[in-house]
Amino acid sequence: MKIVLSCFLGIFSLNMVAIAAEHTTPTAPADYLAMESPIDMEDVDEDMLKKTKRLYKSKCKKCHGMEGDGEGSAAEDIEIKPTAFNAEGYMAGKKDGQLFWMTKLGSEGTEMEAFGPDSDAGLSEEKLWKLIAYMRSNFTK
Ligand code: HEC
């Protein structure tokens, strides 16, 4: 019985590693990818950044970290790791619509939950765009 059990656990943990290794971040549908943020980065001011920082801190920090390095306090226990936004070229390489899509609707099969108007968090689209502006402003490397 012990052998059977440990075999089972062995296969189970191998599976978890395989799931994480196989995961590729899904790409948003074309209509989302075509979206552009309604917030012009030139209009982003200290006041907006300060307010949005509070929102980021309360909803995103535990996974993505205050520095956007993907090393928040909850990240350790997560199989598919939270994205590091501050990786070289990451923010520049991501379309507004991709960031918006995932923040609004989440990523199936991962801990990245939906934050949009229809989710439990219930953030307005305006707030989602502000979060994206905050991320671009703080994490672009
Ligand atoms: C419980 C952990 C957790 C929290 C909280 C969380 N995320 Fe994530 N996030 C993830 C994980 C895991 C991924 C990787 C998903 C994937 O690769 O499919 C991710 C990926 C992302 C991406 C990557 C999109 C891409 O295409 O590269 C964005 C943008 C994002 N999160 C935004 C946010 C924002 C904004 C918040 C706060 C409102 C937030 N996340 C809160 C776990 C989290």
Side-chain angles (χ1 to χ4, degrees):
M1 184 58 198
K2 248 191 187 154
I3 293 170
V4 172
L5 189 65
S6 64
C7 263
F8 174 75
L9 287 176
I11 289 166
F12 182 71
S13 55
L14 272 178
N15 263 339
M16 293 308 284
V17 172
I19 286 167
E22 272 168 23
H23 181 79
T24 38
T25 305
T27 302
D31 52 339
Y32 275 94
L33 286 183
M35 289 174 115
E36 270 181 42
S37 173
I39 301 172
D40 191 331
M41 287 309 286
E42 282 174 11
D43 297 335
V44 173
D45 58 19
E46 283 308 312
D47 184 53
M48 195 211 99
L49 288 178
K50 219 169 127 190
K51 285 190 185 129
T52 312
K53 183 178 187 170
R54 269 184 242 138
L55 184 60
Y56 181 88
K57 195 173 174 186
S58 73
K59 304 268 187 235
C60 322
K61 176 193 166 198
K62 71 170 177 174
C63 290
H64 294 286
M66 219 48 216
E67 309 301 320
D69 55 10
E71 293 181 18
S73 58
E76 206 177 320
D77 299 327
I78 293 178
E79 214 59 54
I80 295 165
K81 294 297 175 200
T83 310
F85 303 130
N86 70 351
E88 192 78 36
Y90 173 85
M91 289 308 294
K94 287 279 170 175
K95 290 199 153 89
D96 284 342
Q98 170 72 22
L99 301 171
F100 182 76
W101 173 71
M102 191 169 286
T103 309
K104 183 180 174 192
L105 300 170
S107 179
E108 218 175 301
T110 79
E111 302 283 327
M112 178 59 198
E113 53 181 298
F115 290 93
D118 299 331
S119 70
D120 289 347
L123 300 183
S124 65
E125 298 208 340
E126 191 194 342
K127 289 228 167 92
L128 300 180
W129 285 120
K130 282 185 176 168
L131 277 169
I132 290 162
Y134 174 83
M135 287 156 60
R136 286 217 186 275
S137 167
N138 282 274
F139 305 144
T140 301
K141 284 225 171 100

